[in-house]
Amino acid sequence: MNNGRVSIAAIRRREIVESAAAVIVEKGIQHLSLSEIEAKIGMSRGQLTYYFKTKEDILLAVFDRMLAQMCERNADADLDRLDWLELVRQVLLLILQEPPAHPEFHALQHTFLSQTSHREDFRRKLAELYEDWRSRSAKALQRDLKRRPGRRRVNPRTLATLVQAIFHGVAVQRAADP
């Protein structure tokens, strides 16, 4: 809404993103094409490319939508308030959940990873996501270390990076070998 007026462009963009996400869920990311999205939404190619110039632009918007949905679903957990070890436990539970809560997100993540060498926008999107996760984890660990200092000094960011890599590896393994 803008000055009490409905933005048709915002509605159309949302419909396109929802249709693309539905194609990914129903048929897999390998079948996502502009033609599939057109068929799903009942829109011509010209209309579709008016709102999104390329399929990759749609993928970026779907990625953002999925992240927003995951954040909304996990808002009740208030992960930023948990002790670090509890945060690690909660994330592992999400990764190991049967069935995976967001299989379409993992498909997009792996697609983006495979394209990072020649798609700067995909690389940047993942880098921003990973940095957000890493910094949240490091903050939680830093809070815990202030309350309960250990015998050895620990760099919260380094440990958060290592744990994030472990999470990613477990998620990849789980996708390949549930």
Side-chain angles (χ1 to χ4, degrees):
M1 291 277 215
N2 198 1
N3 295 331
R5 295 169 56 186
V6 175
S7 170
I8 298 299
I11 291 170
R12 292 286 184 246
R13 289 178 65 85
R14 187 180 67 245
E15 290 172 343
I16 292 167
V17 169
E18 289 172 358
S19 295
V23 170
I24 293 169
V25 169
E26 293 166 11
K27 298 183 177 186
I29 198 163
Q30 68 277 15
H31 294 288
L32 182 68
S33 65
L34 293 179
S35 297
E36 285 290 335
I37 297 168
E38 290 167 16
K40 185 81 172 165
I41 196 170
M43 192 180 277
S44 73
R45 178 71 51 103
Q47 291 172 307
L48 188 65
T49 57
Y50 176 80
Y51 297 106
F52 291 97
K53 298 297 178 206
T54 65
K55 181 175 91 169
E56 289 78 11
D57 292 336
I58 296 171
L59 284 175
L60 288 165
V62 170
F63 191 82
D64 287 340
R65 175 184 175 266
M66 287 181 185
L67 282 178
Q69 287 177 330
M70 288 167 57
C71 289
E72 287 172 16
R73 287 183 190 135
N74 295 317
D76 294 342
D78 200 11
L79 297 176
D80 290 332
R81 299 269 184 234
L82 296 175
D83 289 341
W84 188 74
L85 285 176
E86 182 59 23
L87 175 66
V88 169
R89 188 178 83 72
Q90 289 292 326
V91 173
L92 275 174
L93 287 174
L94 287 172
I95 292 170
L96 298 173
Q97 194 172 32
E98 289 279 344
H102 306 283
E104 67 279 11
F105 172 77
H106 297 295
L108 270 176
Q109 182 182 19
H110 296 293
T111 297
F112 282 23
L113 281 168
S114 70
Q115 302 291 316
T116 57
S117 63
H118 59 279
R119 291 288 312 209
E120 178 59 23
D121 49 353
F122 286 10
R123 189 206 59 77
R124 191 174 44 254
K125 184 65 70 177
L126 287 176
E128 289 168 2
L129 173 65
Y130 295 160
E131 175 55 31
D132 179 55
W133 288 348
R134 190 172 37 250
S135 65
R136 287 171 166 225
S137 177
K139 284 178 189 174
L141 179 55
Q142 195 166 26
R143 273 193 322 265
D144 282 6
L145 289 172
K146 283 181 183 178
R147 285 192 304 250
R148 297 183 307 257
R151 286 185 234 154
R152 295 182 183 166
R153 280 190 45 169
V154 174
N155 181 317
R157 183 172 173 76
T158 300
L159 187 54
T161 301
L162 176 63
V163 170
Q164 181 180 29
I166 292 168
F167 287 162
H168 193 267
V170 169
V172 168
Q173 270 188 329
R174 187 176 185 306
D177 184 17

